[in-house]
C-alpha cells in the first residue's frame, strides 16, 4: 500500500530494506503543523516527515533560517519540535505515535513564511558578541531588551496545564556499566558477563547495534550474532533508549532511562565497579557557506534515513567524501535510486565551496569551478570522539594529527574505553578490543589483581577537514558561524574558552558534540596555533540533556502523620505541611477555635513535637550544657522551660524538659527543630563529653501527644484520669505526672501553657493515640470540647506573647534580642553559646523582640513588613494576627533598641506601601500578661 | 558521589552523612577572647589537599566520625571515632 501524504503529495519511501526498523504492517497517522501525515511504527517524527518530502523541520534560533534533517539522530540540531505540551522534543529520535501532534518551534507566523528571518536577509550574520554589544546600553532600556531577547530565545512553549507525569528513581550496583551498545560495547558486555560480572549495558538508540544497524549485509550479519550473544549471556541488563549522563566520584554513574515501563523517565544511580565508555564516534559537519540549507546532510544521516527507515533522502546528489562512511553513502544512495551526480573526493584534494538554495538545496559549487544542480549534498569529512565520560573521570583527550581527531589520554583503573573512541580497525578488531576490555572490566570490578592485556586498535590516517574556504555555521543550534568566531579572535577573545563564551558556540542543545572540534579548528586557524595547542572542550555532565522531571523524580522524603490523622481527615481538617509532618491547620474556623479554648476547652494534636528520652546520672550536666538556663536542681516531678542557643549565641530551639525519675528525663523540642536538636545532643555527647553517662532515645513517634487547653481543661482531664490527683495544689503549674489516661498505662502528662490557658500536655503510647483523642472528645462533649489546629494555636500563643523559634527569631537573633534575658545564666561554668551571650550582655546595639499594637485595630500588617523611621529600616514584623480574644490586631516584631521601650510609637510599612502606625506594648503578652489564667 | 568507609557500617554514599566541618578544638569558654572564639566559629583553612574533618553518619549509625580526606582527589585515608570537631548544628 502506498501511503502518500495529502499535505505534500510526495512519497519518498523506498521498498523494503534489509535492516529497516519500521513495521510496514502497522501504519498510523500523526499531525505536523496541523496537517495529517502517514507513518509506520518505528518511524521517528523526522523520518516520517522526510518520507513525505518535508524538508524544513524548524527555523533556526537566531536568524530563523530554515533547517532540516542533518544527522537523523538525537543530536540533529535543526529538529527540535513541540509535541503536544512537551517542548524541545528531539524529532529525529522520538518515535511517532498514533495521533501525535507535533509542531515546529521558533517559527512565526509559520514555518514557510517566517517574519524574523528578515534579520538574516538583511544582515547575513549578526556580529560576534551580538547580545553583549546590542543589548547592554542604555540600561534604562533593559525591560524592552528583555522582551526582544525573550522573543529570540529558543525552545517551545511550556504549558502550565500540562498533565502530571510520573518519573522514577532507582539505585543499582552493577559490576560493570557499558555506556554504548555498538559492536564494541556489546562485545564488552558479553565478555564481562561471561567472566561473572553483573553488567548494565546502556544504549541511547531504541535498539542495540550502533553503526552496524545501518550497514550492509556483513554488518547486519555481525549485528545478529552480537545481539544473540547478548541475549544468550546471563547477567546483562540491557537498557535501550537510555543514556549515561554522567560519571562522578567513586564511579557513581547516572543513567536516564527513557524506556522504563509506566514512567516518562527513570533516573538510575548506579555505583559501578568499572565503567566502560563505548559511545562510538560522532560524525562532524563541514563548515562552508550554506552548510545548513535543508538537503545538506551527513553521510551517517543519509545512510540511517535509507537503511533504518527506507526513506530516499533526495533525488539528485553530490557526495563530499574523505572516508569509508562517505563511500558507503555513495553505494547506499545509488542503491536507493538517488542519482549521484558528482563525488567530490577530499582525499585527492577536492572540495566544495558553497551550497545554494533557500528552503531547500538547489545547487553545490565545487572547488574545481563546477556548479552542480542537486537537492542533496552528503558530507563525510571526519569524526568527533565524544570522550565526555572519560573527561568526567579526569581524562584529558589528546589530539592525533594523523587521524584528525582526539583520543583518550588514558590511565584509569575504573573507567575504560573501547570502540571508535579508542581507535580504528576492522569490525573484527573492534569486537576483539571490546571483548578484552569487558574481561578486564570484570576482573577489575572483582578486584582480581591479574591484569589482562588489552590490544591497541590501529589508528587510520584521515584528512584534516574542518572548514572550506567560505564561512558557514559552526554551531547550528546556536547559529554561530565561523566568521563570528574569527571576529571574536580579532577582538581579543583568542582562547577557545573565551571565544566559546563570547559567541555562545557549543552552548546549545548539542552541547559541543557536533560543533566543538570545528570551533577549536576555526579558532586555531585564526590564531595560527595548532589544534593540539588550542585545546579541546572538557565535557562536563550531563552528557545529554536531562529533564527536570528525571532529576526531581520521585521523592523519597518520608511524609509523617500522627495516629489521629484518620479523625482529622474525617472532620475536615485543612492540612498544613510542616516539614515532614502533615498537621491540621484548622477545622474550618480558626477564630472560633481560639474562642472555644479561651472560654471552654480545646484539644490540639501535638504529636510532631520532638521528644527525647534521656537517662543516666549525667543528664543534668547535659541539660546545663545545652540550655542557656540552669538545670541542676530540677526536682523530681518538675518541668522547666528551656532555651538552646548555638555556639554563636543565636537561638536554636526551645522546649520543656521534665524529670520523670531519679536519672530519667523527657525533653521536648519544637516539631521543626527536632532533628537538629537530636544531632546537637549527640554531638555534645560524642565529641566534647564522651565521658558523660547519658543515653538518648528519640521517642517522638512512640507517643501521641495532645494538648488540652482552656479554663475547663482540668474538668476534661479528670474524666479520663483516675490515678493522678489533678487539683491545683497536688498538680500545680510546671509539673509532670505519670499514670493512666483513658485506661492507657504508661502515659504521662505535664502542666504547661503555650496557649496561655490552664493546659495539660498528655503523652500516650502512639498506638492508643486515636482512641484517647476520640475518648476525650466523646466524654468532653458536655464540656463543649472542640479540636483546634495549628493556626488557632499560633493565634493563642501570639496573644500570650510566646515566641516561636524561627518565626520570631532568625539566624542573627541572640538570646538577649529575643527577650530571653531572664533565662541566660552566665554564672554557669559552661553552656553552648556562653561566650557570645556574655559579650552580647554588655552591648545594646541589637534589635529587640517586642509586642506591638497597631493603632488601627483592623489593620493586620503582613508578617515580614518593615518598620521604618525617617526612611530607614528599624525593624520588622515577625508575627501578626487578628486577635479574636481582644477583637483587634496584635503583632510581635523586632525594633531598634531606642524604640524598644513600652509606649514607643512606630510606623510599619505594609506590602502595599501604606503606613500602619503602632505602639510598643508593655510586654510581649497582650492577653493575660499576669498569667492568672495559666496558673488557675 | 564519594564513599566514606564508616567503621560501623562499611562503605556508604556520602549523601548518608552530614558534613560537620574541619575538625577543630573548642576553646575553653572561660577567658576566651572574641577573636579566638570567632575564628573557632567561622574561620576554616580550606586546604587543597589533605584535611581532617568531622562527619556525622546521619542515615547510618549516627556517630560523629573523624575523617581524613584529600580535598583534591576525594580520597579518604582514615576514619576514626569519635570526631572531636566541636559540636555544630
Ligand atoms: Zn555508620
Amino acid at each position: 500500500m502506498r501511503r502518500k501524504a495529502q499535505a505534500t503529495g510526495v512519497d519518498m519511501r523506498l521498498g523494503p530494506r534489509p535492516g529497516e526498523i519500521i513495521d510496514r504492517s502497522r501504519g498510523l497517522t500523526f499531525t505536523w503543523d496541523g496537517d495529517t501525515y502517514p507513518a509506520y511504527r518505528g518511524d521517528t517524527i523526522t523520518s516520517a516527515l522526510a518520507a513525505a518530502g518535508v524538508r524544513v523541520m524548524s527555523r533556526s534560533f537566531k536568524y530563523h533560517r530554515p533547517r532540516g534533517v542533518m544527522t537523523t539522530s538525537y543530536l540533529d540540531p535543526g529538529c527540535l519540535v513541540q509535541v503536544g505540551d512537551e517542548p524541545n522534543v528531539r524529532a529525529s529520535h522520538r518515535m511517532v505515535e498514533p495521533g501525535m501532534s507535533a509542531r515546529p518551534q521558533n517559527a512565526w507566523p509559520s514555518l514557510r513564511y517566517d517574519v524574523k528571518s528578515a534579520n538574516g536577509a538583511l544582515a547575513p550574520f549578526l556580529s560576534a558578541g551580538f547580545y553583549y554589544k546590542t543589548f547592554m546600553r542604555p540600561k534604562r532600556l533593559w525591560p524592552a531588551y528583555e522582551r526582544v531577547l525573550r522573543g529570540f530565545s529558543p525552545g517551545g512553549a511550556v504549558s502550565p496545564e500540562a498533565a502530571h507525569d510520573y518519573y522514577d528513581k532507582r539505585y543499582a550496583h552493577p559490576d560493570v556499566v557499558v555506556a554504548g551498545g555498538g559492536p564494541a560495547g556489546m562485545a564488552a558486555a558479553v565478555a564481562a558477563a561471561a567472566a561473572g560480572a553483573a553488567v548494565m549495558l546502556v544504549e541511547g538508540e531504541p535498539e542495540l547495534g550502533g553503526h552496524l544497524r545501518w550497514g550492509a549485509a556483513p554488518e547486519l550479519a555481525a549485528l545478529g550474532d552480537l545481539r544473540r550473544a547478548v541475549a544468550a549471556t546471563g547477567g546483562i541488563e540491557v537498557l535501550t533508549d537510555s543514556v549515561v549522563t554522567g560519571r562522578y566520584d567513586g564511579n557513581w554513574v547516572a543513567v536516564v532511562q527513557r524506556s522504563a515501563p509506566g514512567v516518562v523517565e527513570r533516573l538510575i544511580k548506579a555505583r559501578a565497579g568499572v565503567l566502560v565508555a563505548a559511545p562510538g564516534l560522532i560524525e562532524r559537519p563541514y563548515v562552508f557557506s550554506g552548510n545548513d540549507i535543508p538537503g545538506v546532510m551527513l553521510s551517517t544521516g543519509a545512510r540511517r534515513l535509507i537503511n533504518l527507515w527506507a526513506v530516499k533522502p533526495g533525488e539528485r546528489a553530490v557526495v563530499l567524501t574523505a572516508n569509508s562512511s562517505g563511500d558507503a553513502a555513495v553505494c547506499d544512495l545509488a542503491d536507493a535510486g538517488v542519482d549521484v551526480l558528482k563525488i567530490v573526493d577530499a582525499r585527492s584534494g577536492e572540495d566544495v565551496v558553497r551550497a545554494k538554495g533557500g528552503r531547500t538545496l538547489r545547487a553545490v559549487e565545487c572547488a574545481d569551478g563546477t556548479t552542480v544542480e542537486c537537492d542533496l549534498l552528503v558530507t563525510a569529512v571526519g569524526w568527533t570522539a565524544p570522550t565526555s565520560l572519560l573527561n568526567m573521570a579526569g581524562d584529558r583527550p589528546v589530539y592525533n594529527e594523523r587521524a584528525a581527531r582526539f583520543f583518550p589520554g588514558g590511565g584509569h583503573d575504573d573507567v575504560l574505553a573501547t570502540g571508535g573512541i579508542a581507535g580504528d580497525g576492522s569490525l573484527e578488531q573492534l569486537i576483539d578490543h571490546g571483548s578484552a576490555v569487558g574481561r578486564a572490566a570484570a576482573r577489575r570490578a572483582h578486584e582480581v589483581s591479574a591484569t589482562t592485556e588489552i590490544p591497541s586498535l590501529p589508528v587510520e590516517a584521515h584528512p584534516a577537514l574542518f572548514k572550506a574556504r567560505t564561512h558557514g555555521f559552526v554551531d547550528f543550534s546556536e547559529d554561530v558561524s565561523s566568521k563570528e568566531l574569527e571576529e571574536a579572535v580579532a577582538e581579543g577573545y583568542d582562547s577557545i574558552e573565551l571565544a566559546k563564551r563570547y559567541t555562545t558556540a557549543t552552548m546549545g542543545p548539542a552541547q559541543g558534540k557536533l560543533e566543538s572540534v570545528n570551533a577549536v579548528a576555526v579558532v586555531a586557524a585564526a590564531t595560527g596555533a595548532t589544534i593540539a595547542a588550542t585545546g579541546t572542550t572538557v565535557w562536563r555532565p550531563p552528557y545529554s540533556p536531562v529533564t527536570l522531571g528525571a532529576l526531581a523524580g520521585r521523592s523519597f522524603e518520608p511524609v509523617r502523620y500522627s495516629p489521629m490523622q484518620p479523625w482529622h481527615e474525617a472532620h475536615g481538617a485543612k492540612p498544613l505541611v510542616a516539614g515532614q509532618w502533615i498537621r491540621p491547620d484548622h477545622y474550618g474556623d480558626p477564630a472560633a477555635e481560639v474562642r472555644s479554648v479561651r472560654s471552654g476547652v480545646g484539644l490540639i494534636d501535638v504529636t510532631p513535637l520532638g521528644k527525647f528520652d534521656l537517662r543516666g546520672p549525667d543528664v543534668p550536666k547535659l541539660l546545663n550544657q545545652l540550655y542557656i538556663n540552669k538545670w541542676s536542681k530540677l526536682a523530681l516531678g518538675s518541668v522547666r522551660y528551656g532555651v538552646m542557643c548555638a555556639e554563636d549565641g543565636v537561638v536554636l530551639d526551645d522546649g520543656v524538659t521534665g524529670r520523670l525519675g531519679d536519672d530519667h528525663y523527657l525533653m521536648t523540642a519544637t516539631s521543626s527543630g527536632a532533628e537538629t536538636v537530636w544531632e546537637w545532643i549527640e554531638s555534645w555527647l560524642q565529641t566534647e563529653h564522651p565521658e558523660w553517662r547519658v543515653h538518648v532515645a528519640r521517642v517522638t513517634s512512640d507517643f501521641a501527644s495532645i494538648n488540652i487547653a482552656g479554663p475547663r481543661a482540668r474538668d476534661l482531664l479528670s474524666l479520663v484520669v483516675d490515678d493522678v490527683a489533678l487539683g491545683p495544689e497536688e498538680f500545680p503549674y510546671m509539673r509532670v505526672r505519670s499514670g493512666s489516661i483513658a485506661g492507657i498505662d504508661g502515659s504521662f502528662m505535664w502542666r504547661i501553657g503555650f496557649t496561655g490557658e490552664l493546659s495539660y500536655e498528655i503523652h500516650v503510647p502512639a498506638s492508643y493515640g486515636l482512641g484517647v483523642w476520640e475518648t476525650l472528645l466523646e466524654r468532653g462533649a458536655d464540656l463543649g470540647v472542640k479540636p483546634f489546629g495549628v493556626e488557632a494555636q499560633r493565634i493563642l500563643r501570639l496573644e500570650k506573647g510566646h515566641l516561636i523559634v524561627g518565626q520570631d527569631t532568625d539566624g542573627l537573633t541572640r538570646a538577649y534580642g529575643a527577650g530571653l534575658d531572664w533565662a541566660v545564666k552566665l554564672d554557669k561554668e559552661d553552656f553552648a553559646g556562653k561566650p557570645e551571650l556574655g559579650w552580647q550582655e554588655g552591648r545594646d546595639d541589637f534589635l529587640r523582640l517586642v509586642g506591638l499594637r497597631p493603632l488601627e485595630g483592623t489593620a493586620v500588617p503582613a508578617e515580614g513588613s518593615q518598620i521604618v523611621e525617617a526612611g530607614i529600616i528599624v525593624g520588622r514584623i515577625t508575627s501578626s494576627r487578628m486577635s479574636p480574644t481582644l477583637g483587634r490586631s496584635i503583632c510581635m516584631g523586632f525594633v531598634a533598641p531606642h524604640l524598644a521601650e513600652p509606649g514607643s510609637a512606630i510606623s510599619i510599612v505594609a506590602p502595599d506601601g501604606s503606613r500602619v502606625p503602632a505602639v510598643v506594648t508593655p510586654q510581649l503578652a497582650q492577653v493575660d500578661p499576669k498569667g492568672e489564667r495559666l496558673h488557675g | 558521589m564519594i564513599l566514606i568507609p564508616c567503621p560501623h557500617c562499611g562503605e556508604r554514599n556520602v549523601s548518608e552523612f552530614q558534613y560537620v566541618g574541619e575538625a577543630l578544638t573548642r576553646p575553653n569558654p572561660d577567658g576566651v577572647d572574641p577573636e579566638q572564639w570567632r575564628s573557632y566559629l567561622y574561620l576554616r583553612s580550606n586546604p587543597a589537599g589533605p584535611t581532617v574533618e568531622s562527619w556525622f553518619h546521619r542515615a547510618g549509625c549516627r556517630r560523629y566520625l573523624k575523617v581524613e580526606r584529600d580535598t583534591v582527589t576525594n580520597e579518604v585515608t582514615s576514619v576514626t571515632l569519635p570526631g572531636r570537631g566541636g559540636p555544630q548544628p
Side-chain angles (χ1 to χ4, degrees):
Chain A
M1 182 187 71
R2 303 302 293 171
R3 290 161 55 89
K4 195 177 281 189
Q6 293 280 320
T8 56
V10 178
D11 183 7
M12 301 293 275
R13 190 76 74 176
L14 299 163
R17 306 285 302 174
E20 71 182 21
I21 59 169
I22 50 170
D23 183 349
R24 292 179 191 253
S25 69
R26 297 170 77 191
L28 56 94
T29 61
F30 71 108
T31 65
W32 165 249
D33 212 2
D35 291 323
T36 300
Y37 287 83
Y40 292 118
R41 189 68 77 161
D43 261 322
T44 63
I45 295 169
T46 57
S47 75
L49 291 174
V54 174
R55 288 226 141 181
V56 182
M57 304 294 175
S58 72
R59 289 278 175 169
S60 72
F61 144 59
K62 210 154 75 188
Y63 304 115
H64 286 244
R65 289 171 63 94
R67 295 277 165 81
V69 294
M70 176 184 287
T71 71
T72 69
S73 68
Y74 187 83
L75 293 175
D76 221 342
C79 298
L80 261 62
V81 305
Q82 176 102 19
V83 173
D85 56 23
E86 183 184 358
N88 301 323
V89 172
R90 309 280 177 137
S92 290
H93 177 87
R94 178 69 62 87
M95 301 279 193
V96 286
E97 283 162 32
M100 179 186 258
S101 161
R103 292 191 310 281
Q105 296 180 171
N106 292 348
W108 185 85
S110 76
L111 211 48
R112 224 173 150 70
Y113 304 104
D114 184 299
V115 171
K116 288 189 187 120
S117 66
N119 293 336
L122 291 173
F125 295 126
L126 298 174
S127 68
F130 160 73
Y131 298 109
Y132 306 112
K133 289 170 183 167
T134 313
F135 296 112
M136 290 303 280
R137 291 191 186 79
K139 208 175 167 186
R140 69 189 154 78
L141 283 183
W142 241 110
Y145 292 159
E146 215 173 353
R147 274 201 301 281
V148 173
L149 287 171
R150 204 169 284 150
F152 272 101
S153 67
V158 177
S159 163
E161 274 86 46
H164 182 81
D165 277 325
Y166 195 71
Y167 292 77
D168 200 11
K169 273 182 193 147
R170 177 190 154 195
Y171 292 83
H173 298 82
D175 296 321
V176 176
V177 170
V178 180
M186 285 193 281
V190 168
V199 179
M200 182 180 277
L201 174 59
V202 184
E203 167 57 41
E205 297 255 322
E207 296 177 335
L208 292 176
H211 69 272
L212 300 181
R213 295 166 66 224
W214 55 88
E219 281 90 20
L220 292 175
L223 173 61
D225 291 345
L226 282 165
R227 281 184 182 161
R228 277 188 290 278
V230 169
T233 310
I236 305 177
E237 182 183 14
V238 178
L239 302 174
T240 52
D241 200 2
S242 303
V243 61
V244 175
T245 62
R247 182 269 178 198
Y248 305 88
D249 283 315
N251 256 7
W252 180 250
V253 171
V255 182
V256 172
Q257 184 186 5
R258 304 185 196 103
S259 54
V263 295
V264 181
E265 286 177 341
R266 175 155 67 182
L267 179 64
I268 301 171
K269 303 177 183 184
R271 179 70 75 176
V274 174
L275 172 63
V276 175
L281 293 172
I282 294 171
E283 191 167 26
R284 213 173 53 231
Y286 194 42
V287 180
F288 58 95
S289 175
N291 65 344
D292 65 328
I293 295 172
V296 179
M297 226 177 265
L298 305 187
S299 69
T300 44
R303 297 188 68 203
R304 285 166 60 92
L305 211 47
I306 294 167
N307 294 323
L308 294 179
W309 296 291
V311 172
K312 193 176 175 183
E315 298 293 350
R316 296 175 321 284
V318 172
V319 179
L320 168 66
T321 173
N323 55 38
S324 58
S325 180
D327 302 342
V330 171
C331 296
D332 285 340
L333 289 169
D335 196 37
V338 179
D339 209 352
V340 180
L341 301 174
K342 187 177 174 82
I343 298 168
V344 182
D345 196 328
R347 287 161 295 200
S348 48
E350 296 172 1
D351 204 352
V352 298
V353 176
R354 63 171 52 86
K356 297 175 175 177
R359 287 204 305 277
T360 187
L361 182 67
R362 281 198 316 274
V364 174
E365 187 186 322
C366 300
D368 60 10
T370 59
T371 294
V372 185
E373 289 194 11
C374 59
D375 62 355
L376 180 65
L377 170 59
V378 173
T379 68
V381 298
W383 308 98
T384 292
T387 52
S388 313
L389 294 175
L390 302 166
N391 292 156
M392 295 170 203
D395 190 288
R396 293 294 171 268
V398 180
Y399 186 69
N400 183 311
E401 285 203 15
R402 186 176 134 81
R405 70 174 197 262
F406 285 91
F407 281 82
H412 298 279
D413 286 343
D414 57 2
V415 183
L416 304 174
T418 187
I421 59 166
D424 301 306
S426 66
L427 180 56
E428 201 185 356
Q429 282 172 306
L430 285 172
I431 291 171
D432 284 349
H433 188 270
S435 299
V437 165
R439 279 191 297 276
R443 292 229 169 104
R444 290 182 192 182
H446 288 146
E447 289 166 0
V448 177
S449 56
T451 53
T452 37
E453 199 59 38
I454 299 174
S456 58
L457 286 167
V459 174
E460 287 165 12
H462 194 291
L465 281 172
F466 305 101
K467 178 182 165 299
R469 62 172 199 250
T470 50
H471 282 297
F473 283 96
V474 171
D475 187 326
F476 297 86
S477 26
E478 287 285 297
D479 260 4
V480 179
S481 71
S482 50
K483 184 159 172 280
E484 277 172 82
L485 280 165
E486 285 186 4
E487 280 173 15
V489 170
E491 289 179 27
Y493 298 90
D494 55 358
S495 107
I496 180 66
E497 295 301 328
L498 291 175
K500 267 167 44 185
R501 282 160 181 79
Y502 189 50
T503 60
T504 73
T506 76
M507 307 280 179
Q511 285 289 291
K513 289 184 187 59
L514 290 174
E515 60 277 10
S516 189
V517 176
N518 282 343
V520 171
V522 169
V523 169
T527 56
T530 61
I531 288 179
T534 302
T536 184
T537 303
V538 176
W539 276 302
R540 295 181 180 83
Y543 176 78
S544 185
V546 181
T547 62
L548 292 177
L551 292 179
R554 182 151 65 108
S555 169
F556 290 104
E557 278 293 302
V559 175
R560 305 173 77 181
Y561 297 102
S562 89
M564 289 81 101
Q565 179 66 16
W567 193 95
H568 301 322
E569 261 174 51
H571 292 81
K574 183 175 175 286
L576 172 77
V577 179
Q580 294 178 339
W581 289 92
I582 309 296
R583 307 188 61 183
D585 193 24
H586 57 77
Y587 300 86
D589 184 353
E593 292 168 20
V594 168
R595 283 189 288 267
S596 81
V597 170
R598 292 270 183 246
S599 63
V601 60
L603 293 185
I604 180 170
D605 178 355
V606 292
T607 301
L609 211 57
K611 296 179 275 288
F612 304 98
D613 185 283
L614 308 175
R615 291 175 198 244
D618 293 322
V619 172
K621 289 181 185 168
L622 173 70
L623 297 176
N624 262 328
Q625 184 71 54
L626 295 169
Y627 287 118
I628 59 176
N629 33 347
K630 264 194 193 146
W631 285 85
S632 20
K633 290 179 205 135
L634 188 67
L636 203 61
S638 282
V639 174
R640 192 170 292 166
Y641 170 79
V643 176
M644 295 183 193
C645 289
E647 289 280 53
D648 55 6
V650 170
V651 179
L652 179 69
D653 204 69
D654 67 350
V656 298
T657 293
R659 189 172 177 189
L660 304 177
D662 281 340
D663 290 341
H664 183 197
Y665 294 74
L666 188 91
M667 173 190 280
T668 61
T670 63
S671 312
S672 54
E675 278 297 310
T676 309
V677 169
W678 192 22
E679 284 167 25
W680 189 228
I681 296 170
E682 285 292 355
S683 75
W684 282 100
L685 291 176
Q686 290 182 33
T687 69
E688 282 300 313
H689 292 290
E691 76 282 5
W692 285 352
R693 291 168 62 209
V694 179
H695 186 80
V696 184
R698 182 175 63 166
V699 294
T700 301
S701 303
D702 298 47
F703 291 96
S705 307
I706 302 167
N707 194 293
I708 305 168
R712 319 237 21 206
R714 186 180 292 116
D715 302 338
L716 176 56
L717 192 60
S718 68
L719 298 176
V720 293
V721 172
D722 300 323
D723 56 356
V724 176
L726 299 178
E729 273 75 48
E730 294 106 317
F731 190 178
Y733 184 55
M734 295 310 265
R735 294 293 189 281
V736 59
R737 299 287 181 264
S738 311
S740 160
I741 298 175
I744 309 306
D745 294 335
S747 304
F748 54 91
M749 59 207 94
W750 48 35
R751 245 192 92 180
I752 54 172
F754 192 44
T755 58
E757 291 298 325
L758 168 66
S759 73
Y760 301 86
E761 198 161 273
I762 65 170
H763 304 274
V764 299
S767 49
Y768 296 101
L770 179 58
V772 171
W773 175 267
E774 287 175 336
T775 304
L776 284 166
L777 288 166
E778 206 180 284
R779 303 229 186 126
D782 292 343
L783 295 169
V785 62
K786 291 272 183 330
F788 65 106
V790 174
E791 174 60 18
Q793 188 190 41
R794 290 191 156 226
I795 298 171
L796 289 159
R797 69 88 204 177
L798 181 59
E799 290 179 338
K800 180 61 187 170
H802 284 152
L803 64 86
I804 295 176
V805 174
Q807 165 94 27
D808 302 300
T809 69
D810 63 21
L812 295 172
T813 310
R814 295 195 175 100
Y816 288 100
L820 296 165
D821 315 36
W822 60 269
V824 186
K825 292 291 179 280
L826 291 171
D827 57 342
K828 286 201 293 184
E829 191 185 329
D830 187 14
F831 62 91
K834 180 185 173 189
E836 289 289 352
L837 293 178
W839 298 319
Q840 192 193 17
E841 195 212 10
R843 307 174 67 104
D844 60 0
D845 57 348
F846 49 87
L847 299 179
R848 312 294 161 90
L849 188 67
V850 296
L852 294 164
R853 179 170 61 80
L855 299 183
E856 184 64 61
T858 54
V860 183
E863 288 170 353
S865 296
Q866 303 290 356
I867 297 166
V868 298
E869 182 182 57
I872 291 167
I873 296 170
V874 291
R876 66 183 168 82
I877 301 298
T878 60
S879 294
S880 62
R881 287 290 189 278
M882 179 58 68
S883 161
T885 310
L886 300 170
R888 61 168 172 83
S889 57
I890 52 171
C891 309
M892 261 201 255
F894 281 109
V895 295
H898 70 279
L899 296 170
E901 284 304 308
S904 301
I906 58 131
S907 179
I908 304 160
V909 183
D912 66 1
S914 65
R915 302 293 167 117
V916 180
V919 64
V920 175
T921 56
Q923 56 278 308
L924 289 168
Q926 302 196 35
V927 169
D928 187 29
K930 290 188 183 143
E932 284 158 354
R933 306 175 72 93
L934 201 59
H935 292 90
Chain B
M1 183 182 318
I2 71 168
L3 290 166
I4 293 182
C6 174
H8 295 118
C9 313
E11 283 201 326
R12 296 299 187 95
N13 286 344
V14 72
S15 58
E16 289 188 5
F17 297 79
Q18 182 183 321
Y19 179 65
V20 180
E22 193 176 354
L24 301 167
T25 306
R26 184 175 186 254
N28 184 345
D30 276 329
V32 70
D33 65 39
E35 198 178 322
Q36 289 169 324
W37 183 253
R38 284 168 188 163
S39 82
Y40 163 70
L41 288 184
Y42 306 118
L43 300 186
R44 301 292 178 264
S45 56
N46 192 26
T51 183
V52 182
E53 301 162 330
S54 181
W55 289 78
F56 176 54
H57 197 185
R58 178 186 242 162
C61 57
R62 296 191 66 84
R63 301 301 293 181
Y64 283 80
L65 308 172
K66 186 176 182 178
V67 176
E68 289 181 36
R69 180 176 69 99
D70 189 307
T71 60
V72 176
T73 62
N74 267 334
E75 192 189 352
V76 175
T77 48
S78 142
V79 182
T80 52
L81 285 169
R84 283 186 70 93
Q88 292 181 16

